[in-house]
Amino acid sequence: MTHASLLHRITDYANRANPYPLYEELRKTPVLHEEEDGPYVVSSYYDILGLLHDPRVSSDATNLTAAGADELSGPEATGLPPSFIRLDPPEHDRLRRIANSSFGPPHRPDRIDSMSGELSGIITELVDGFGDARQIDVVDQFAYPFPVTVICRLLGVPREDEPRFRAWVDPIVAALDPETRQRTDDDFQRAAQEARMQLGMYLAGLVEQRTKEPRDDLLSDLAASHGADGTMSMMEVLSTAVLLLIAGHETTVNLITNGMLTLLRHPEYLHRLREDPGLSVRIVEELLRYEPPVQLVPQRTCVADIDLRGVTIPKGSRIWLMLAAGNRDPERFRDPDRFDPDREDIEHLGFGSGIHICFGAPLARREAQLALAELTRRLDNPRLVEDPPPYRKNAVLRGPRHLNIAIDSVRS
Amino acid sequence: MPAEAFHEWLRREGRIVIVGASLAGLRAAETLRAEGFAGPLTMIGDEPYEPYDRPPLSKAALLGMASPDHTELPRRRDIDATWRLGVAAAGLDMAARRVRLADGEEVPYDRLLIATGVHARPWPKEDEAQLDGVFVLRTRDDAVRLHRRMKGPPRRVLIIGAGFTGSEIASACRNQGIAVTVAERAGAPLVGALGGVIGAVAAELHRENGVDLRTGVMVTGLEGDVTGRVRAAHLSDGSVVETDVVVVSLGATRNTDWLEGSGLGAGPRGIACDAGCRAFDFRGIVTDDIYVAGDVARSPHPLFGYQFLSLEHWGNAVAQAEVAAHNMISAGADRRPHMWVPAFWSSQFGVNIKSVGVPSMGEEVMITQGSLTERRFVGVYGYQGRVIAAVSFDNTRWLEFYQRLIETGAPFPVEFTTVDRRPEGRKPVPADFPDPSLPTHGPTVTLSGYSPADRQLVFTPARH
């Protein structure tokens, strides 16, 4: 091969701002296997959907053969057991079910709905905080603090501790990035494991507090769930809390930022959204297809040989599911590279599918809908200061690191 | 007129009549308009209501979570139709292309779609069926009446038949703390649809939720008091159940009576049609102007040996209506076959049950994921070395995978490893369907093709 492998080009930071041409190239080899111990990369919509529902595909890294072994897994390494996102049934089902009983239907069908007022309040506060600035960074001043505040309130984590857990979250999230993982040595992985344990210990303190004095938050609910029926152990509570804390904001920040960026690149929708805040529902769905915050799922492995498009993916192989490539698969979506919130057919892979479908999807949707509608309403004449903006390093959780926009004023 | 010109004319100003104003009829009408049909469209329905959704009637509505008279179907688009509601179709003149209505009026058509569905099989003894407190559950009116009585609350509800509807009603009763007895002729609930292995799990669900489940018994008679209210039921084992509400859940009968003598291939098992939804006449010759869709249709399915299947499935009604509507206004080469893979779902005792394929064709079943004892599992049915169906209890999200196995004729038994595969699932066991020559409540899926056993399936009302 004369040039860098396609996969390396995709994870290469240089292509972060617009990886979509590479995804298009990727789809020409629907099951790509470039290096002997490298992953099998799947990029077509229907193949990804099929594998997300395939019980031969496991999320448990211990099923990997030695060649692809995943340093981030084992309980010995981290001190914390894997969270349900890295587990298979029946453990996955049990933990997710318990977590869901304090978050969604049938037990708490109104949890997200009833938060709308609170979400709007947080948004208003942040936008008011822009003051009379003529330029703002959407990421630092809004898209990051908003979901962090929300997930802190939901879980019951003190907002003022954000700088403390930020120091632990960053290395954990960085370790999700395949390029970092390929490049760096064991020290880096150890740092991530160490951070995860530190974060777990920090949360353990809060959980202990909530066990004594329960409040109306998720930590209290999770703490109460490890009881006589042995449903969730203390360690499982901590793993779940770590997962919810991180997943609860690291993705939404990108959804909101990608959303503003996309709207500024498609001003007709910015105007329409200003006229009709209800359009935010369709806009967010199309965003999840067009610029999904989670670009790929690199954490799957197969427990049996899988035949796909004439390729046999051998048992024990690592599989990457390229959600963002599937979302722009012309076999599935008409005119897939067009941002078109009016499209009727919009069943995207932005939240994945199958048993691991995004746990926080209802919250993420609501946050992004309210945020985009309100930013659009209150920012007078917003323009991009640079296009493309600088991106975060991560190829998995992709989004701008900063989104500087110029405005004429902040409306009241 | 050449075919092409004819279809152009048909799309522009042909007259289309749809008999049956429920899910299939509505979706067909919407598809016709979506595909550019501009002619006059008439919707005929025997109920006085615009199309409504039925699944909630035995679930949310009985739980009081939805009002039974507010389950309208969401509209995909305006269909600009003439509605003839509250009047049944009473006859069909195929030669003159006219539908006769119960009020004597006649409606001419160039294309006719029949989507008349099914009605609940009533309690066979008419005088007993008239007793106050004896219900069936199929229509909105049924649901309103039953819902009102459930709020009473009744001292005890007796449900005759433990198919899906009967089980869902039992679940709704228990959810509201109402005492309930379920009488089922087979050895377990859901046996006709899912077989005895899975039926045994359903039986546990009933009993653990406090249902007084009686299996292997028939209700031989209902007894009223002096005021004409039901007060007791007599069972074939000699026992008596004191009850003030009886729900007859003995399956459904296809609405084809009105077609008697029309010359159409219509009978108690539905209206036979080809894979493109064109109805057959009674000589087995395909018509080109009469189409059928939904519960009332019987069409050959290539995945299942071209047997004529009639399916009482929500999804089937939608898919078949779309195909029928498309084909009605399309010339030969543009027509599409209806190749929907049967799928249905139920919700009872807090468990989501879903199935794909045709479980009742299965000879053997194996649990490929989860465990029967935990009541969270996927069961796969095999027929002559192929995967023919799958059922899940609280495991719905995996079923797409099994549907693909069915569609591709994957081998059975299933040999490959899956996540959550337990020792109990490594060997197939007989699926344990009852002898089809014995009458039961009738499976939700009725196989009625070339199968001598199936042709024996006759409902025999219980007698003293």
Side-chain angles (χ1 to χ4, degrees), chain B residues 160-408:
Chain B
I160 307 176
F164 279 101
T165 307
S167 298
E168 286 170 8
I169 300 167
S171 168
C173 288
R174 289 311 301 149
N175 188 274
Q176 291 162 97
I178 298 168
V180 58
T181 298
V182 173
E184 165 60 46
R185 294 185 69 146
L190 313 183
V191 156
L194 299 176
V197 175
I198 309 300
V201 181
E204 277 174 35
L205 271 179
H206 277 250
R207 294 202 164 107
E208 270 179 29
N209 284 280
V211 174
D212 169 28
L213 176 66
R214 318 273 187 100
T215 54
V217 294
M218 295 186 298
V219 173
T220 51
L222 302 176
E223 187 186 322
D225 62 15
V226 285
T227 67
R229 276 193 77 145
V230 68
R231 59 166 291 269
H234 296 267
L235 272 51
S236 58
D237 61 1
S239 60
V240 176
V241 177
E242 304 280 334
T243 177
D244 45 355
V245 171
V246 173
V247 188
V248 180
S249 298
L250 295 171
T253 305
R254 273 137 191 92
N255 291 322
T256 53
D257 285 356
W258 65 285
L259 294 165
E260 204 181 305
S262 67
L264 204 64
R269 300 208 183 107
I271 304 166
C273 63
D274 71 5
C277 306
R278 294 183 299 180
F280 290 130
D281 72 13
F282 77 97
R283 302 167 301 174
I285 297 175
V286 74
T287 63
D288 201 34
D289 50 357
I290 303 176
Y291 290 72
V292 288
D295 296 1
V296 77
R298 286 178 65 210
S299 66
H301 202 305
L303 271 184
F304 304 99
Y306 288 97
Q307 292 210 54
F308 279 73
L309 296 177
S310 50
L311 303 171
E312 293 173 36
H313 296 173
W314 198 95
N316 183 68
V318 174
Q320 201 165 23
E322 288 168 353
V323 170
H326 170 84
N327 290 347
M328 285 171 91
I329 53 171
S330 300
D334 297 331
R335 288 181 178 152
R336 294 199 298 253
H338 172 59
M339 290 198 293
W340 193 75
V341 176
F344 72 89
W345 65 279
S346 172
S347 166
Q348 44 188 275
F349 306 110
V351 176
N352 276 307
I353 301 174
K354 191 172 179 193
S355 122
V356 289
V358 185
S360 57
M361 270 176 92
E363 299 157 339
E364 293 184 308
V365 65
M366 60 196 303
I367 305 306
T368 56
Q369 292 179 251
S371 153
L372 289 174
T373 50
E374 289 163 27
R375 295 196 297 252
R376 297 171 60 79
F377 60 86
V378 178
V380 176
Y381 295 83
Y383 174 69
Q384 296 185 348
R386 286 175 48 174
V387 173
I388 199 83
V391 64
S392 67
F393 274 45
D394 275 347
N395 255 306
T396 309
R397 292 188 198 279
W398 294 111
L399 278 197
E400 268 187 43
F401 171 77
Y402 293 94
Q403 178 169 336
R404 194 55 50 83
L405 294 188
I406 297 163
E407 288 169 350
T408 53

Side-chain angles (χ1 to χ4, degrees), chain A residues 46 49-50 52-58 88-90 93 96-97 303-304 315 353-357, chain B residues 76 368-370 374 376 394-402 404-405 416-422:
Chain A
Y46 289 109
L49 190 66
L52 286 168
H53 288 262
D54 194 322
R56 296 169 297 183
V57 175
S58 164
D88 291 334
D93 293 3
R96 180 164 164 145
R97 203 163 57 237
V303 296
K315 175 180 174 174
S353 189
I355 63 164
H356 290 283
I357 192 166
Chain B
R76 291 180 178 172
T368 56
Q369 292 179 251
E374 289 163 27
R376 297 171 60 79
D394 275 347
N395 255 306
T396 309
R397 292 188 198 279
W398 294 111
L399 278 197
E400 268 187 43
F401 171 77
Y402 293 94
R404 194 55 50 83
L405 294 188
F416 52 77
T417 313
T418 63
V419 297
D420 205 12
R421 186 102 180 235
R422 316 284 177 85

